[in-house]
Amino acid sequence: MISIQDYLKKQGYNVAIDETTKHIDKWLSWYQGYVKDFHHYTVYNGIETIDKDRYTLGMGKTICEDWANLLLNEKVEIYTGTSFDKQLENVFEYNSFRVKGNQLIELAFALGTGAFVEYLDADSKVVIDYIRAGMIFPLSWDNGYVNECAFGSMRERDGKKQYYIQIHKQGGKGIYIIENHIVNAESGAELDLDEGMLSEVDTGVSIPLFQIITPNIVNNIDLDSPYGISVFANAISQLKGCDIVFDSYINEFDLGKKRIMVPLSMAQVHMGADGVVKPVFDKNDTVFYAIPGGRDGEGKLDTFDPLIRADEHDKGINKALGLLSFKCGMGTGRYKFENGVVKTATEVISDKSDLYQSLKKHEIVLNNALTGMVKAIGQLHETEIDKVNIDFDDSIIQDKETERQTDKGDIAIGAMTLLEYRMKWYQEDETTAASKINEPADVVL
């Protein structure tokens, strides 16, 4: 089977393949919660070595879910302040943007890179594709900004695996051209395009119909790479720490039950295939442990009944969570292990906190991507968008209802006008807000 990178190289494209891409599978494993060379281990039970799997808190996914919910939730407002907003909302609804956009942010923070891609379908409706790392292949970039890019995906038709590859490149005068390719994944041969699909589309626009999303973190794996890195790329040791302590916590209860030390001389035995006599009991049953004679050397049954260190493990897990949270830009108090589960802090935070500063930093990249996406949607609707407003949810630092009540108080004392109030809280332009001021039922102080 050929790779998409191989196909693009044969087509003469300079595909970005650097050290960063080699880490994507590892980040994916931590996001999925099972890293084979870490979570799988062996232990000796007194007779033979058996395979075990380490318990996990799954914090790789939790961290990324949390960032996605902080950055792109239902409270985030995206609008132009023009009549185009109705069409924009229709596009978002048609593409389940509120759900899939959030999911893309989660994956981008897990794998380092994600992308929005816009195009018109056969019914001339704007489609937004949500592309994760592993399917994104930058072709040209300048100072970290990707100018041209290919996007690939695997699919199956008539029992055969195929690649669908879409290439966004710049033609004359910087106008973007989109190429569509369907390739046999085994041979690399070009296949016929789907009905209604054009091999090449001249977009007629000089802005890209794709936007790259990455966590706003310097890629310290390859400083010149167009790819981003996972939000937990530099916190793998802390992810391991969380799972080591949690695994010990679970095993403390599992192994803390009363045990029976069974002398080999007293255990029921049978002749093995290799001619060796072995005791008969479930090798995975940790209640029994075979020893060469009793603990006092007289060959009698003995018991082992240790104390369970629950409090110590609770403290250990919380320490590990604090370190992980800090390394992922959320400060040290974001998570707490309580009553056997990880809980997320919900209290209002300071605008000087680590979490708030990291959030504002990530919003810069997301703001640029969302602005580019809206302008691209406008181009596909043959509408020029001059300004895009992105109002991110800042309720983690200030309760919205409290802020609204404060603004109402400012109106009462003349420190704020009704015009300013409507423009802020109803997302109206100045003309619309002014026309509503004479309708007192709309604003209740």
Side-chain angles (χ1 to χ4, degrees):
M1 179 178 291
I2 70 161
S3 67
I4 294 177
Q5 294 97 320
D6 291 337
Y7 171 80
L8 291 170
K9 283 183 177 179
K10 288 182 179 179
Q11 299 301 307
Y13 291 105
N14 178 31
V15 184
I17 301 177
D18 54 44
E19 284 298 314
T20 308
T21 60
K22 298 177 183 179
H23 291 257
I24 293 175
D25 286 342
K26 178 178 71 173
W27 296 333
L28 177 60
S29 294
W30 278 106
Y31 173 71
Q32 293 175 329
Y34 186 85
V35 183
K36 188 174 181 179
D37 62 3
F38 173 74
H39 288 100
H40 182 78
Y41 65 103
T42 58
V43 64
Y44 185 65
N45 70 352
I47 299 174
E48 61 182 309
T49 299
I50 61 172
D51 294 320
K52 301 287 286 184
D53 281 327
R54 199 182 308 278
Y55 290 97
T56 175
L57 280 172
M59 289 305 298
K61 178 169 174 56
T62 298
I63 289 282
C64 298
E65 281 182 350
D66 203 4
W67 272 122
N69 292 335
L70 287 169
L71 286 164
L72 192 59
N73 54 51
E74 72 283 356
K75 296 179 182 178
V76 175
E77 299 289 342
I78 305 171
Y79 59 98
T80 66
T82 68
S83 59
F84 184 72
D85 286 340
K86 180 61 177 177
Q87 291 172 283
L88 182 62
E89 194 56 41
N90 289 339
V91 171
F92 287 162
E93 185 175 349
Y94 180 69
N95 289 277
S96 301
F97 174 76
R98 294 293 178 180
V99 174
K100 293 183 179 179
N102 177 277
Q103 293 173 350
L104 178 65
I105 302 301
E106 181 179 328
L107 288 170
F109 271 63
L111 307 180
T113 310
F116 297 114
V117 180
E118 303 82 31
Y119 61 92
L120 292 175
D121 65 12
D123 297 322
S124 296
K125 290 186 176 182
V126 176
V127 174
I128 304 173
D129 276 348
Y130 307 90
I131 313 297
R132 59 174 172 79
M135 300 165 62
I136 302 170
F137 308 93
L139 303 177
S140 68
W141 58 95
D142 182 18
N143 198 26
Y145 178 80
V146 178
N147 303 302
E148 300 175 304
C149 196
F151 303 95
S153 61
M154 174 73 77
R155 67 183 199 175
E156 190 166 314
R157 295 289 188 276
D158 301 323
K160 296 181 179 179
K161 292 183 177 180
Q162 304 174 350
Y163 293 128
Y164 169 52
I165 303 172
Q166 192 178 84
I167 301 172
H168 293 240
K169 64 181 184 179
Q170 290 177 300
K173 298 182 179 180
I175 300 300
Y176 275 90
I177 295 171
I178 300 176
E179 291 183 4
N180 291 304
H181 300 268
I182 297 178
V183 179
N184 186 302
E186 296 293 337
S187 65
E190 290 269 359
L191 302 175
D192 292 336
L193 296 174
D194 295 344
E195 185 177 352
M197 185 182 292
L198 299 176
S199 60
E200 186 174 287
V201 177
D202 186 339
T203 67
V205 300
S206 58
I207 67 171
L209 299 180
F210 66 88
Q211 301 79 39
I212 303 297
I213 303 168
T214 67
N216 196 356
I217 304 171
V218 172
N219 183 340
N220 60 335
I221 296 172
D222 188 328
L223 297 180
D224 298 316
S225 173
Y227 291 104
I229 60 173
S230 170
V231 75
F232 53 71
N234 290 287
I236 300 299
S237 294
Q238 285 70 34
L239 285 170
K240 290 180 178 179
C242 286
D243 286 354
I244 287 172
V245 181
F246 182 65
D247 181 68
S248 177
Y249 178 84
I250 297 298
N251 281 311
E252 187 79 5
F253 289 91
D254 184 29
L255 302 178
K257 57 191 176 185
K258 183 180 292 187
R259 298 182 179 282
I260 302 174
M261 316 305 285
V262 183
L264 289 174
S265 60
M266 296 179 63
Q268 181 183 357
V269 298
H270 77 287
M271 183 71 70
D274 55 1
V276 178
V277 175
K278 298 179 180 179
V280 179
F281 56 81
D282 185 356
K283 66 181 182 181
N284 291 305
D285 190 344
T286 54
V287 172
F288 298 99
Y289 193 92
I291 58 175
R295 289 167 65 184
D296 58 3
E298 297 180 359
K300 66 179 183 180
L301 293 176
D302 202 351
T303 60
F304 179 66
D305 192 9
L307 294 174
I308 295 176
R309 302 162 297 162
D311 290 342
E312 289 84 351
H313 278 87
D314 282 345
K315 292 178 182 178
I317 292 174
N318 280 312
K319 287 288 187 181
L321 288 173
L323 284 171
L324 175 64
S325 176
F326 176 76
K327 290 287 287 184
C328 293
M330 292 180 163
T332 58
R334 184 65 180 170
Y335 304 105
K336 184 177 182 181
F337 186 74
E338 192 174 86
N339 298 325
V341 296
V342 176
K343 296 183 178 180
T344 303
T346 57
E347 67 272 9
V348 175
I349 67 171
S350 164
D351 60 3
K352 293 181 175 60
S353 72
D354 293 332
L355 173 56
Y356 178 73
Q357 294 181 35
S358 296
L359 180 63
K360 291 294 145 183
K361 187 173 72 170
H362 292 313
E363 283 177 0
I364 294 172
V365 173
L366 184 55
N367 183 87
N368 292 338
L370 294 175
T371 298
M373 179 188 67
V374 173
K375 289 186 175 182
I377 292 171
Q379 290 289 341
L380 293 173
H381 276 282
E382 299 182 352
T383 302
E384 194 75 29
I385 304 297
D386 295 324
K387 183 179 180 181
V388 180
N389 301 292
I390 314 291
D391 291 344
F392 289 103
D393 174 32
D394 60 359
S395 60
I396 63 168
I397 61 163
Q398 184 174 10
D399 179 71
K400 285 287 187 180
E401 187 57 35
T402 300
E403 183 183 359
R404 191 162 187 160
Q405 293 300 325
T406 300
D407 286 352
K408 289 178 180 180
D410 286 344
I411 293 175
I413 64 173
M416 186 179 197
T417 66
L418 282 174
L419 179 67
E420 292 170 328
Y421 182 89
R422 291 200 66 94
M423 291 176 66
K424 176 178 180 178
W425 291 104
Y426 293 89
Q427 286 83 51
E428 295 172 345
D429 57 40
E430 185 173 352
T431 302
T432 302
S435 69
K436 296 285 188 178
I437 287 177
N438 294 325
E439 303 175 24
D442 286 347
V443 179
V444 179
L445 298 182

